[in-house]
Structures are given as C-alpha cells and as structure tokens.
Amino acid sequence: MVADILKNIKALIIDMDGVLWRDSQPLGDLKGIFHSIEALGLKYILATNNATRTVDEYHQKLSGFGVTVPEGGIINSAQAVGIYLAEQYPEGANLYVVGQPSLKSTLSQYNLNVVDENEKDVQVVVASMDLSLSYQKLKHASLLIQSGCEFIGTNPDRTLPTPEGLTPGSGTVIGALEIASGRTAKYIGKPEPLLYEMALRRLGVRPEETLAVGDRLETDIIGAHAAGVHTALVLTGASTHEQALAYNPKPEIITQDFTELMSIWTQRKN
Ligand SMILES: [Mg+2]
C-alpha cells in the first residue's frame, strides 16, 4: 500500500520542526536526505507553521546543516498571514502584533503597518509565539480584540518539540488571548488549507501527486488530508505512534524518522 502511494508521488511538502530538526539538533543526515529527494527526481517545498523565523533565517539554518534550498523553496505561516491580510485590506491596515520581530518584519512586506500601543486606529490583532510575551501585551491585545479588531492567529500549535521536551508554542499565546477576550482567533497556518494550497501552487503539482511529511497529527496530517494531499507522519516530533494509530484521519504512512521514509523510497526504486 505504501508502495502504491509512493509510485504516484511527484512532490513533497515537508514540515521542518520535529521533522528536520528539534531546535538546533538535526534529525538525521539532512544533507543525505535532500540528496535522496533530488536523486528520486522529486520536487519539494518546506512549509512550516512556525512564524518565529523569517524565510531567510530558515535558508541560513538549512545551510548550517549543509543543505541549500532553492529560492521560493520555503514558506511559513507568517507569509500566509501577510498574503491573507493583503487580500482582505488592499488599502493596507494597522496591525498590533503579539509575536517575534521576524513576524513583524515579514508582515511589513505586504503593505501592512505594524503599530505599537500608542496607535488608536487598529484593524487587526495578529497573535503568535512571542519570546518576550508580557502581561501588558496580552492586556493591550485583548482589549483591542474586545473592541472589535479582527483577531488572527498564525498557527494553532500548542507546543514546540525541543531537546528539553514540549515547550509553549504559538497556540499557547493565542489560547491565552482567546480566554482573555472571549473570542476565537481565525487561524491561517495548518490545519487550515491556505499554507498547503500556497505550496501546491508554487510546486505546480496536483494534491494527489503530493505527499506531506509532518510530525503533528492535528496540524500537518489534518491540513494535508483536508487539502487532498497524501500523508506521512514521522515519529521524531510531537505525535506518537499510539496517537497516530488511533487518529482519524490516520496518516497513510508512518515511519520512525525522515531517513527511514527516504530509504524505503530509494529501495523501492532500485
Ligand atoms: Mg512540526
């Protein structure tokens, strides 16, 4: 059955945290993995919910592991929020952002104006993981949301897999604002289809000839399934084998890690 799926795959949409690395620790021989992908003639794009780094920073991180990804080969939820809001607000908008400086700089590239707490005219609150989160930021954002601002969450991932264990993620911050304001955020990242749709468009492939590789059932696998993309779960990140077997939709392929997935593929070809 795995062989039947792999036979028709022309492209991969690959998650990064928990698939390629945990924090600064690579998960396997990344150079070798990307070599196998290219040797099999597969197209690929790296698509992450993580909005705490810019796409340029991801290129740098990958090159630190000896991997060079082509221009346009990485997308993140920060870009997806930028595209979404640029369509909603063609004249531009003032945003209050609870998030990392990289999120703010990405949003600024889409004709959006990131403002501070002194600005009274705010249309949108964007919330995400914020390493300098404070009570003051939560309070200001919550009051804006209650006053009627649009409330956007970059991605719902509650935690981030790190060598120390699962640490608070974007969903933790957005969840705090949902509790404080009594309103629910509109999420842009996985499991919403937008990020996968952008990836398919850039790759120029159909969903049924594409395989998503991820480590988290409730974002990577649900999102891919909803977009009609085939699914592979690797067990190096957020979700466990037990959880995967009991999950609906169940990932079509489950491997210990990305290396194992690529060796199954390579052996099948030889
Ligand atoms: Mg992940």
Side-chain angles (χ1 to χ4, degrees):
M1 187 203 159
V2 172
D4 285 342
I5 298 167
L6 296 184
K7 170 172 90 193
N8 296 315
I9 298 299
K10 295 193 176 122
L12 297 175
I13 301 175
I14 306 163
D15 181 52
M16 292 190 271
D17 294 299
V19 174
L20 300 182
W21 52 64
R22 261 192 236 113
D23 212 356
S24 57
Q25 202 174 81
L27 293 165
D29 168 18
L30 298 184
K31 213 173 159 176
I33 288 170
F34 281 87
H35 181 76
S36 325
I37 295 172
E38 280 155 18
L40 286 162
L42 298 167
K43 294 182 177 183
Y44 67 89
I45 193 163
L46 305 174
T48 180
N49 261 358
N50 192 331
T52 62
R53 287 167 185 267
T54 63
V55 162
D56 283 345
E57 286 167 335
Y58 277 113
H59 277 286
Q60 281 161 27
K61 180 161 181 168
L62 282 154
S63 96
F65 295 127
V67 177
T68 307
V69 173
E71 178 102 31
I74 302 174
I75 54 171
N76 68 2
S77 63
Q79 286 184 321
V81 171
I83 291 167
Y84 172 80
L85 288 177
E87 281 169 9
Q88 298 285 308
Y89 298 91
E91 308 294 312
N94 286 342
L95 319 181
Y96 182 70
V97 179
V98 179
Q100 289 292 98
S102 57
L103 173 61
K104 295 178 184 173
S105 71
T106 300
L107 293 172
S108 304
Q109 291 163 16
Y110 291 88
N111 189 30
L112 300 162
N113 191 23
V114 176
V115 299
D116 64 18
E117 295 181 6
N118 298 315
E119 175 62 54
K120 297 280 175 279
D121 178 30
V122 180
Q123 285 76 50
V124 185
V125 171
V126 178
S128 186
M129 170 123 162
D130 185 345
L131 294 175
S132 55
L133 184 67
S134 66
Y135 183 81
Q136 180 56 32
K137 285 187 190 175
L138 285 175
K139 175 181 156 186
H140 190 72
S142 171
L143 291 171
L144 285 171
I145 294 163
Q146 290 175 75
S147 78
C149 279
E150 188 167 357
F151 178 19
I152 301 286
T154 53
N155 59 298
D157 301 64
R158 287 172 287 137
T159 55
L160 268 183
T162 74
E164 294 171 281
L166 296 175
T167 57
S170 182
T172 303
V173 177
I174 302 164
L177 280 174
E178 288 182 335
I179 292 169
S181 68
R183 282 184 51 199
T184 306
K186 175 177 177 58
Y187 291 94
I188 300 294
K190 306 174 225 176
E192 298 307 316
L194 189 62
L195 205 60
Y196 281 111
E197 286 165 8
M198 281 170 57
L200 290 167
R201 230 178 306 156
R202 278 205 204 166
L203 288 164
V205 291
R206 288 175 290 134
E208 60 272 23
E209 53 195 20
T210 308
L211 178 71
V213 184
D215 68 299
R216 190 183 287 271
L217 292 161
E218 67 268 27
T219 51
D220 299 322
I221 301 303
I222 292 224
H225 183 79
V229 171
H230 290 287
T231 53
L233 182 83
V234 294
L235 300 172
T236 42
S239 300
T240 65
H241 200 204
E242 261 183 333
Q243 290 167 338
L245 294 178
Y247 209 70
N248 184 21
K250 202 169 101 179
E252 293 166 275
I253 301 170
I254 302 171
T255 59
Q256 281 309 313
D257 52 23
F258 201 5
T259 306
E260 191 192 0
L261 176 65
M262 291 321 297
S263 33
I264 292 171
W265 214 323
T266 305
Q267 277 162 21
R268 201 191 64 81
K269 264 272 159 84
N270 290 338

